[in-house]
Amino acid sequence: MSRGTKARRDAIVQLATTSGLASVEELSATFGVTASTIRRDLARLESDGRLARTYGGVVSLVAHPEASLRQRLGEAFEAKRAIARWAAARIGAGETVLLDSGSTTGALAHELRERRDLTVATTGLTALEELVGAPHLRVECLGGTLRHLSQGFFGPQTEAALSRMTFDRVFLGADAVTAEEGICEATLEQTHLKELMAQRSDRVYVLVHAAKLGRRPFHAWAKLPDHWTLVTDHTAAEESLLPFTAAGVEVVTVAPDGTAWHPPAPGGD
């Protein structure tokens, strides 16, 4: 394989990583080679496990495979803890809340362990592990099929349990989130469940650290309601927050000391 071919294939992987979907025609135009050359590149990248293709010759990114929950537990630890503390302070006595699976919602469950007069429902093992020693809380497990990678339950049994409850607040995690498309996850089963969780709740919060803003690592999306709150950490760049505030999303950034900032919408005070 020539250096030019290797460089082009590496560039295709990088492009898919940063931009998401790309058609054969788009890649052909970008790199100035024929469509058949691009197809050979994609076939080799797929066989090497660096990319996957979907119908129509579209590239589906697996260049950065989905991280397991165990791998993510140590990422942005202080940011997740600050976000979790802010979120916990929003929950009032007597409320019924729903926690998604994930490391940040697991941190939120940790913050709730000493609370009383709450009902906490969850689809995540991490939250359950935190709450198992909290006898003053009513804990509801929305069980179903266990997704080992994310340590969360999904599927028809989870959805059936979800349909029998409503919630004052839901706290969702995400592999990534954009203002235009909503929550990005590795599978359609995950995004479908998150949409249902949002639909069953009066208030919707998406808890993500700054590195997840505006990214498109996968091609399954959960649409969010018209009114929802993005909670992220204080390292989020202003330009990464602008699409959310422009779309009318309530945005909160939280510093390690608990200081919260609400960036105004464009044109606001």
Side-chain angles (χ1 to χ4, degrees):
M1 180 172 60
S2 69
R3 289 184 179 179
T5 299
K6 181 180 184 302
R8 184 179 62 251
R9 290 175 181 174
D10 289 344
I12 289 172
V13 172
Q14 180 62 30
L15 182 64
T17 302
T18 56
S19 302
L21 292 175
S23 68
V24 170
E25 292 74 19
E26 290 169 338
L27 292 172
S28 176
T30 298
F31 295 101
V33 296
T34 65
S36 60
T37 297
I38 291 295
R39 290 190 183 93
R40 286 194 296 272
D41 289 339
L42 298 182
R44 180 55 184 268
L45 290 169
E46 187 174 31
S47 68
D48 290 345
R50 301 179 69 189
L51 293 178
R53 288 183 292 174
T54 59
Y55 295 109
V58 177
V59 180
S60 174
L61 170 64
V62 292
H64 290 302
E66 181 188 7
S68 69
L69 182 61
R70 184 177 297 276
Q71 291 172 310
R72 288 185 276 123
L73 284 174
E75 293 178 354
F77 175 77
E78 291 299 331
K80 293 176 182 179
R81 187 164 66 173
I83 291 168
R85 286 173 176 168
W86 183 91
R90 311 278 77 76
I91 301 171
E95 290 192 352
T96 296
V97 298
L98 175 58
L99 307 187
D100 197 1
S101 60
S103 54
T104 307
T105 48
L108 173 53
H110 179 84
E111 296 296 324
L112 298 177
R113 291 186 305 171
E114 302 303 320
R115 297 283 295 272
R116 295 171 180 265
D117 193 23
L118 287 181
T119 297
V120 182
T122 185
T123 60
L125 286 181
T126 305
L128 285 174
E129 289 170 356
E130 292 286 352
L131 298 174
V132 70
H136 302 298
L137 298 177
R138 180 180 178 89
V139 179
E140 300 285 352
C141 174
L142 306 184
T145 301
L146 178 63
R147 190 171 187 271
H148 293 272
L149 197 62
S150 57
Q151 296 186 25
F153 296 109
F154 74 100
Q157 294 179 81
T158 306
E159 294 172 13
L162 185 60
S163 71
R164 287 166 173 78
M165 297 185 72
T166 57
F167 307 92
D168 295 296
R169 305 172 196 270
V170 61
F171 297 91
L172 299 172
D175 281 338
V177 61
T178 73
E180 302 81 12
E181 301 292 342
I183 289 175
C184 184
E185 294 290 343
T187 70
L188 292 170
E189 290 84 1
Q190 291 170 279
T191 53
H192 178 63
L193 180 60
K194 289 178 192 287
E195 286 187 354
L196 294 178
M197 293 167 77
Q199 291 167 10
R200 303 297 293 174
S201 305
D202 294 336
R203 293 291 305 273
V204 177
Y205 301 82
V206 178
L207 311 181
V208 293
H209 62 84
K212 296 184 175 184
L213 300 178
R215 295 184 62 241
R216 299 169 177 268
F218 305 109
H219 309 297
W221 295 90
K223 285 291 185 182
L224 292 165
D226 291 338
H227 302 289
W228 60 282
T229 302
L230 170 67
V231 189
T232 188
D233 67 272
H234 73 298
T235 66
E238 188 173 349
E239 57 268 24
S240 69
L241 300 176
L242 184 59
F244 296 96
T245 55
V249 177
E250 179 185 7
V251 176
V252 182
T253 66
V254 188
D257 65 359
T259 303
W261 177 56
H262 298 253
D269 296 328

